[in-house]
Amino acid sequence: MSLTREQNELLCRIENGAPMGQMLRNNFWFPVALSQKLVADGAPLKVRLLGEDFVAFRSTDGRLGFFDEKCPHRGASLLLARNEDNALRCIYHGWKYSVTGEVVEVPTEPVNAAAFCKKVPLNHYSVREAAGVVWVWIGKGQPKPFPEFEFNSLPDDQVYVSKQLVNCNWVQDVEGGMDSAHVGILHQAWIQQARLGATTDDMAPVYDFDETAGGYRYAAIRNAAGGKKHLRINEYVLPWYSFICPDENNEGDRLTIMSTPIDDENTFHWLVRYNPHRPLSPSLQNPAENPDDFPPGTGGAANRWGQDRGMMMRGHFSGFGHLNTEDFAACESQGAIADRSKEFLNSGDLAVVRLRRLLLDLVREHQATEGNSSGFPHDSMDYHRVRAHVDTVKDESVWKSIR
């Protein structure tokens, strides 16, 4: 499904009250920062979501606060604020905001300051921590159910999270996570290290789909030795979660990609490496020297994202020094916002086509009901059951029973 330009705008734009941005805001929790970046009484952290700026901080007693960046008084940045006594104090005029979102001091108000404090319109938001990640709800009313994926309740040695800024629209990043057809091609130089050998035996997987409450599962079916079929069973959960199967067997480490929309042209790409059975093994994704910048940025279009043509001459397929850099370069090279009206798609793109349709269905439902519904089954969604799988079987028709 190539899109019209109008459909593409509806799908991608999330700033300035755009319909997709409003739907996301009022339906989903956002992963926004690594927990380790927030230190008690430390510097507030700037967070940008949907083209708007916020501050996150950890209070004296360890709780998390999340406010609009601008002080409601005169608009000075609360990134400059003092973080003390379980509150942020704006350094411009000393107004003080508790971690729970209450205005507790206005030193410049001489008459009945306590009553005045109650009138100050401070925007503060619900915050959670899980899997070493700070999550926030910035929507209206009571938060929707938190996404209790199984990685959110694992011990520290069974989950590892890192992130990187990707300079393109968030939908491109989601599409990359659900595109199984590129694995054996773009990443072929890493096949042995990443234990993805079966993906190069058949470069043209056949997709079979199974609708789920919050998205879909699919089997990317490849021909394997001995007349068998190799199955990579991945799962997409709206709006930005891609669950990627283990490398070789179902006891192996799994990967979830999350794509946080910063603004129309920038995205945080999250890698959640986890194992529900045992401690993680070292891999290309963990541990990272700096999990807040992983893999380290290598530039952009001006230097071909650090591509080494000499490596390519010596036999390396892509010329990039890390598997994930290959993904980032391919994603960003499509443009800040890919023009999907010019695409010429094939059968290898069916998973991408399907996620686009689901996202467009959500935002249209949100528009049609004036924001009262998106059609996402919040109350019946079983997040903990979501899990990707890998297998090699004689009869691929059994894949839907593999969980």
Side-chain angles (χ1 to χ4, degrees):
M1 178 176 89
S2 296
L3 303 181
T4 66
R5 290 186 177 179
E6 292 74 20
Q7 290 171 328
N8 200 47
E9 290 286 296
L10 180 62
L11 178 69
C12 298
R13 297 286 182 183
I14 45 85
E15 294 186 50
N16 301 316
M20 182 64 78
Q22 292 304 302
M23 188 277 292
L24 295 173
R25 174 192 297 271
N26 290 305
N27 281 277
F28 300 102
W29 287 79
F30 288 67
V32 298
L34 292 171
S35 293
Q36 65 184 28
K37 297 292 290 185
L38 298 176
V39 180
D41 286 345
L45 179 70
K46 183 169 184 172
V47 174
R48 186 166 171 82
L49 298 171
L50 306 180
E52 301 175 20
D53 295 322
F54 305 88
V55 291
F57 67 100
R58 193 179 298 279
S59 65
T60 310
D61 61 9
R63 287 176 291 170
L64 294 178
F66 201 90
F67 303 156
D68 287 347
E69 182 196 343
K70 299 298 186 180
C71 176
H73 175 211
R74 297 263 298 279
S77 175
L78 292 178
L79 288 172
L80 305 174
R82 297 181 62 86
N83 182 6
E84 59 191 9
D85 192 26
N86 293 317
L88 290 186
R89 185 186 293 277
C90 180
I91 63 171
Y92 196 8
H93 295 92
W95 291 26
K96 185 178 179 181
Y97 310 106
S98 77
V99 68
T100 56
E102 297 170 310
V103 182
V104 291
E105 286 185 28
V106 179
T108 55
E109 178 56 47
V111 179
N112 200 356
F116 182 85
C117 284
K118 296 178 181 178
K119 300 176 183 178
V120 179
L122 174 68
N123 290 328
H124 68 287
Y125 306 90
S126 298
V127 194
R128 291 277 300 269
E129 283 187 276
V133 176
V134 176
W135 307 70
V136 65
W137 169 264
I138 59 172
K140 298 176 182 177
Q142 287 297 311
K144 294 294 194 289
F146 183 75
E148 297 282 4
F149 295 116
E150 65 177 347
F151 63 74
N152 277 330
S153 58
L154 291 175
D156 289 347
D157 63 353
Q158 291 178 232
V159 60
Y160 187 87
V161 182
S162 61
K163 64 189 256 289
Q164 181 56 277
L165 172 66
V166 183
N167 301 127
C168 66
N169 184 262
W170 70 285
V171 180
Q172 282 153 248
D173 197 50
V174 179
E175 291 175 343
M178 277 290 97
D179 175 9
S180 191
H182 82 277
V183 175
I185 299 173
L186 178 62
H187 300 318
Q188 61 187 265
W190 306 94
I191 291 299
Q192 297 307 314
Q193 190 173 351
R195 298 186 292 278
L196 296 170
T199 62
T200 60
D201 295 337
D202 183 351
M203 296 289 194
V206 174
Y207 289 98
D208 193 24
F209 293 90
D210 187 21
E211 299 293 336
T212 64
Y216 62 80
R217 301 170 73 221
Y218 72 79
I221 305 168
R222 291 175 167 87
N223 293 313
K228 295 184 177 182
K229 300 293 185 179
H230 181 71
L231 309 176
R232 288 177 59 83
I233 304 170
N234 296 335
E235 186 158 352
Y236 171 60
V237 178
L238 289 157
W240 48 59
Y241 300 103
S242 301
F243 284 75
I244 312 300
C245 65
D247 302 331
E248 293 179 322
N249 65 77
N250 282 321
E251 298 298 308
D253 298 346
R254 288 166 161 77
L255 183 67
T256 299
I257 299 172
M258 309 187 293
S259 307
T260 304
I262 298 172
D263 51 38
D264 283 344
E265 299 183 354
N266 294 280
T267 304
F268 272 130
H269 176 101
W270 295 82
L271 292 171
V272 182
R273 192 88 178 174
Y274 72 101
N275 192 314
H277 308 291
R278 59 175 182 263
L280 289 170
S281 302
S283 76
L284 286 167
Q285 278 93 22
N286 64 286
E289 182 175 342
N290 179 5
D292 205 41
D293 178 28
F294 181 79
T298 55
N303 71 337
R304 294 193 181 93
W305 292 271
Q307 186 183 48
D308 187 335
R309 306 296 291 193
M311 284 175 59
M312 297 173 75
M313 293 290 290
R314 295 189 294 274
H316 193 283
F317 181 74
S318 72
F320 290 107
H322 197 281
L323 181 151
N324 294 103
T325 307
E326 295 173 336
D327 286 326
F328 299 159
C331 194
E332 291 186 9
S333 71
Q334 295 173 286
I337 300 178
D339 184 354
R340 293 170 179 80
S341 70
K342 296 181 178 180
E343 294 177 328
F344 192 82
L345 304 179
N346 76 339
S347 298
D349 302 308
L350 289 176
V352 169
V353 169
R354 190 166 291 240
L355 76 85
R356 293 175 184 175
R357 189 185 72 233
L358 290 176
L359 283 168
L360 286 171
D361 286 347
L362 280 191
V363 70
R364 286 168 178 153
E365 176 72 11
H366 193 260
Q367 287 179 294
T369 62
E370 298 182 344
N372 292 318
S373 172
S374 70
F376 188 85
H378 291 286
D379 294 332
S380 61
M381 180 66 197
D382 187 358
Y383 289 103
H384 201 269
R385 194 178 179 208
V386 177
R387 184 185 287 186
H389 298 271
V390 65
D391 211 341
T392 301
V393 298
K394 290 184 178 180
D395 178 8
E396 68 268 29
S397 67
V398 304
W399 80 266
K400 292 181 182 180
S401 65
I402 301 173
R403 284 198 172 270

